[in-house]
Amino acid sequence: MAVETWLRPDILSSELFPPNYDVYRWEREDSYDGVLVATKNTLITHQLPSDPSAEAVLVSVHTQIKNSKLIIGSVYRTPSATSEEYTTATNRVIEQACHSQRSVVWLGGDFNLPDIDWKTSNIISHQNPKTMNQAYINKLQDTGLLQINHSPTRGENILDLFITNRPSLVSRCTTLPGLSDHDILLCDSTIQPTRTKPIPCTVHVWAKAEKQKMKQDIAALTEQLLCTGPVKTTVHEMWDKIHSALTKTLNDHVPKKTCSTKVHQPWFNNTFKRLSRRKSRAWKKAKTTQKDHDWQRFEHLQRETRKACHTAHSTYISALITEEGDAIRLWQYVKSKKCDTTGVAPLKKAGVTYSDPSVKANILNEQFCSVFTEEDLRPILEIGESLHPDMPNIIISEEGVLKLLRNLNP
């Protein structure tokens, strides 16, 4: 991505880039400013339509991830362009880049917004109109985008931005000395999260331990320590001796095994493994024969396996969330479902944006508490004094009348 290219239509892209690059450009008629996006021609790319009033280029890159693409955008905002129409056009480009929720979005360029503190999403100065700055902040929050760069790119101002909807995939965002009065913004990012492969660990099989031999070794060690006369040894030397003896006993009489590094679902037992194997065999047979009854059998097994897995998963979760459930397993399950490590985004309350973790926790707690109501447990009917012992007077309270009316007219 590049901005302020100052290229004219008569300057060919081949004069600036090697032949193995595809270059998408946008230029003004007076050859001022201009933006471009350059990609290697080994990638399948095409330019997306964008608002012609904005200085921007959007490029879609085909990825191997199903139903997902990479959207790259180069955007430039002229410092003197503070009109509402220009701001709307630039924000419309941001919306066009986020047309697909499954796509990874990279937007970069010189936005010339020095008034915004991007860590807190607050306006800290007044070089530009407040309404314009707030419009850009609101647009990023509405589209779920986050500005990553927090390093000044010109003097003490953060003018060049890198905006994405997958902040956890960005491994580096730094600045380099530039060719002009702006520093170059360098970002390293991936388009899909990488799964960390579990490290094989060795555990002891205590069920097969030779406990009698272990007792004999411990007894011999105890007798050796007690029967030895007074010697000049320190506490650390004595502990090293005990530790080495216990470790030798453990390694000699307790067998070991290496745990598998495969990730298994805790509710997936042998029954589901057999169903899965049957489904796989049915699929291979149907693919080979291409007969209707074989495909019907595969679809039946597929539905049966899916239903059994959903039922087992629901049962497993229901058992964890009860008071008698295993809290450790519950939080292990919650952590395994975590897809993003950035935490909670800055929250706004009474027009002020907060990024402090404790303040955000209090804001969320207040929001959750506000959606619950306390049920009125007072009785609708009250028993009053009676003139006759067998016929009590029924008195309807004012709260009871209101409750009856709400039930009759929901």
Side-chain angles (χ1 to χ4, degrees):
M1 291 177 278
V3 297
E4 293 190 86
T5 56
W6 291 57
L7 297 178
R8 301 187 306 272
D10 59 339
I11 300 178
L12 302 179
S13 299
S14 58
E15 300 180 39
L16 305 173
F17 291 89
N20 60 334
Y21 275 85
D22 294 328
V23 183
Y24 302 91
R25 297 162 47 176
W26 182 96
E27 290 130 12
R28 292 169 53 175
E29 295 179 356
D30 55 5
S31 73
Y32 284 95
D33 300 333
V35 297
L36 66 81
V37 173
T39 62
K40 285 191 174 181
N41 56 14
T42 54
L43 301 174
I44 303 175
T45 60
H46 67 276
Q47 186 171 355
L48 297 176
S50 60
D51 195 306
S53 302
E55 303 181 38
V57 170
L58 294 179
V59 177
S60 175
V61 181
H62 178 75
T63 64
Q64 296 181 352
I65 306 174
K66 184 179 180 181
N67 299 328
S68 179
K69 295 181 179 180
L70 170 63
I71 308 299
I72 303 177
S74 181
V75 184
Y76 177 73
R77 192 194 74 83
T78 306
S80 58
T82 58
S83 64
E84 183 178 354
E85 293 78 10
Y86 190 89
T87 302
T88 303
T90 306
N91 283 336
R92 193 176 294 117
V93 172
I94 298 176
E95 289 183 356
Q96 293 167 344
C98 302
H99 70 282
S100 176
Q101 295 181 353
R102 293 181 58 89
S103 299
V104 180
V105 178
W106 294 347
L107 294 179
D110 185 3
F111 284 77
N112 286 302
L113 297 173
D115 300 332
I116 301 177
D117 181 4
W118 293 106
K119 291 184 178 180
T120 60
S121 297
N122 291 327
I123 301 173
I124 57 177
S125 59
H126 305 284
Q127 298 185 31
N128 294 317
K130 181 179 179 180
T131 55
M132 188 199 71
N133 290 321
Q134 193 62 49
Y136 285 109
I137 295 175
N138 294 339
K139 181 56 62 177
L140 294 187
Q141 293 177 348
D142 294 341
T143 54
L145 298 176
L146 188 66
Q147 202 285 116
I148 300 299
N149 178 38
H150 299 296
S151 301
T153 57
R154 184 184 181 187
E156 298 180 354
N157 297 322
I158 302 176
L159 303 182
D160 300 271
L161 311 180
F162 181 75
I163 302 170
T164 180
N165 61 343
R166 300 290 192 273
S168 61
L169 302 182
V170 180
S171 58
R172 180 175 62 163
C173 184
T174 185
T175 56
L176 300 175
L179 302 177
S180 63
D181 56 347
H182 285 242
D183 290 338
I184 298 174
L185 192 60
L186 174 64
C187 296
D188 289 337
S189 180
T190 58
I191 59 175
Q192 63 178 344
T194 56
R195 182 181 293 273
T196 303
K197 187 177 181 180
I199 301 175
C201 59
T202 302
V203 297
H204 293 88
V205 184
W206 290 97
K208 298 181 180 181
E210 299 175 340
K211 298 181 180 178
Q212 191 61 33
K213 294 183 179 180
M214 292 178 64
K215 291 181 179 179
Q216 295 176 1
D217 289 354
I218 298 301
L221 175 62
T222 304
E223 183 178 359
Q224 179 184 0
L225 294 175
L226 295 177
C227 296
T228 303
V231 292
K232 295 181 180 180
T233 57
T234 63
V235 175
H236 295 290
E237 292 175 348
M238 184 65 69
W239 165 246
D240 292 338
K241 183 177 181 180
I242 297 174
H243 182 269
S244 60
L246 293 178
T247 303
K248 184 178 183 303
T249 301
L250 183 66
N251 295 331
D252 292 344
H253 304 303
V254 181
K256 301 178 182 178
K257 71 173 184 179
T258 302
C259 294
S260 174
T261 58
K262 295 182 179 180
V263 179
H264 298 284
Q265 302 294 351
W267 59 86
F268 200 83
N269 53 27
N270 292 331
T271 302
F272 303 118
K273 291 181 181 179
R274 287 193 293 268
L275 285 173
S276 181
R277 295 191 191 102
R278 289 176 59 191
K279 182 188 71 173
S280 300
R281 290 195 296 268
W283 178 78
K284 292 179 181 179
K285 183 177 180 180
K287 190 177 180 181
T288 303
T289 61
Q290 295 295 329
K291 294 182 179 179
D292 292 339
H293 66 274
D294 289 336
W295 283 112
Q296 293 174 1
R297 181 173 179 273
F298 162 70
E299 293 173 356
H300 171 73
L301 291 175
Q302 187 181 37
R303 290 192 298 268
E304 183 180 354
T305 304
R306 187 186 298 114
K307 182 178 179 181
C309 289
H310 288 174
T311 303
H313 175 258
S314 301
T315 304
Y316 177 79
I317 299 301
S318 301
L320 288 181
I321 61 178
T322 59
E323 293 183 358
E324 297 80 11
D326 191 344
I328 296 179
R329 289 184 177 273
L330 173 62
W331 290 112
Q332 286 177 347
Y333 174 79
V334 172
K335 186 177 180 181
S336 67
K337 295 299 180 181
K338 188 177 181 180
C339 299
D340 204 333
T341 58
T342 58
V344 180
L347 301 178
K348 182 180 292 186
K349 180 182 179 182
V352 181
T353 304
Y354 297 93
S355 59
D356 182 75
S358 59
V359 178
K360 291 190 293 184
N362 292 331
I363 294 175
L364 291 176
N365 186 37
E366 294 175 2
Q367 175 64 25
F368 293 149
C369 293
S370 65
V371 300
F372 294 100
T373 58
E374 295 183 359
E375 183 179 359
D376 187 5
L377 301 178
R378 289 177 295 182
I380 297 178
L381 303 180
E382 296 179 357
I383 307 299
E385 297 181 358
S386 174
L387 300 176
H388 192 277
D390 295 332
M391 297 183 63
N393 293 329
I394 306 273
I395 303 174
I396 302 179
S397 62
E398 182 180 355
E399 293 80 4
V401 173
L402 295 176
K403 185 179 291 186
L404 287 174
L405 292 176
R406 285 196 296 267
N407 293 334
L408 291 175
N409 299 298

